[in-house]
Structures are given as structure tokens and as C-alpha cells.
Amino acid sequence: SKDPANNTMNSHQPQQQQQSSPPCWNEFCAGVTACLRSWSAFRTAVVGGWGGVDSTAKAEFLRSTIYGYFLTAQNPQVSLEELEDHLAIYLEEEFAVQLEDHSERQVAQVIYQLYETCVQQQTVTLAQQVVATAVAADAVAAGPAVQVP
């Protein structure tokens, strides 16, 4: 099990990354955050506390880990397939969620697209789209509770 308390990367201040970080780093980080927030399986697990009392810290740890994979402008430290596997394994180990919908593939693909457009300095538009999707997902999640008669 990973210990979020030992996380050395400060995920709350992505703008203070090394100078070797890709262009549009802040937008990339915002896009990753929005992507994770709009991932319904992950959001449900975190909000539902399926990872125990440390659910929120575990979510932050995953986000920081993803940032670390993409910190250099040259090449990500993981392949697309490795990122997919990491997401699925992390949800299973830390939140007891077995993804049967293969949503980790879509999340990993969006994160890779964010990175690639970031390296090409075109991230702002894609990041804005991902953020807008996350805001819409949050609005749906915060909507009225279903009443059972």
C-alpha cells in the first residue's frame, strides 16, 4: 500500500515544477485533475470513502504520481498501457474497485492527449474541454438525490 504522507511532490503547486517540465504545465495539471474528477468510478470511490479515511489523500497521491510520470518535456516515464494498468491496479488496491468498463483506458488516453498537446503547446483548448467535462460531471453528481418510495 502506498503512503500518501510520504509523498514528496507537492501536488497543490504544479507551477513550481522544474524548468524541464513541458510547456503549458499548469494547464496539463488542471486537465489531469479535471480528468480524474470526471472519472465516475474514481469519483464515486473517493466520495464514498471506499479507500477508508484516507480516500482523499489516496486520490491526491494518485494525481501527484501522474504528474511525476509526465514531468519531463522529453518523454513520459510510463507508456499509455502502463498508465492504464497503473490506474486499474491503484483503484483495485487502494479503493477495492475492479473496473469492468475499462474506463481506465479512456482516462489514460485523455491524460496522454493532454501531455502530447502540452508538448506541442496546444494544451489550453484541450485542458479547457476536460475541465468543462469535469464541471458538468460534478454538477450531475451534486444533483438531487434519487428518492426511493
Side-chain angles (χ1 to χ4, degrees), residues 24 114 116-127:
C24 305
L114 283 165
E116 290 169 358
T117 55
C118 180
V119 170
Q120 299 167 7
Q121 299 186 13
Q122 301 171 355
T123 304
V124 175
T125 302
L126 180 59

Side-chain angles (χ1 to χ4, degrees), residues 18-141:
Q18 303 169 4
Q19 289 187 354
S20 64
S21 62
C24 305
W25 180 252
N26 292 342
E27 291 81 2
F28 170 77
C29 291
V32 168
T33 298
C35 185
L36 292 175
R37 285 185 179 164
S38 64
W39 186 13
S40 61
F42 184 62
R43 183 181 60 247
T44 300
V46 173
V47 171
W50 297 357
V53 295
D54 294 331
S55 290
T56 301
K58 289 177 180 182
E60 289 295 320
F61 181 80
L62 177 61
R63 185 174 71 152
S64 294
T65 300
I66 293 169
Y67 292 165
Y69 290 154
F70 294 92
L71 185 57
T72 62
Q74 289 76 30
N75 292 308
Q77 296 177 13
V78 293
S79 69
L80 175 61
E81 293 78 18
E82 290 169 333
L83 181 58
E84 291 172 9
D85 290 345
H86 178 77
L87 293 170
I89 290 167
Y90 193 82
L91 258 67
E92 185 172 346
E93 289 180 353
E94 300 298 334
F95 295 95
V97 172
Q98 291 187 346
L99 297 168
E100 296 177 2
D101 63 354
H102 304 291
S103 57
E104 74 278 6
R105 291 180 186 166
Q106 183 179 7
V107 171
Q109 288 171 349
V110 170
I111 291 170
Y112 252 81
Q113 287 175 333
L114 283 165
Y115 177 77
E116 290 169 358
T117 55
C118 180
V119 170
Q120 299 167 7
Q121 299 186 13
Q122 301 171 355
T123 304
V124 175
T125 302
L126 180 59
Q128 288 172 341
Q129 291 171 351
V130 173
V131 169
T133 300
V135 168
D138 283 346
V140 169

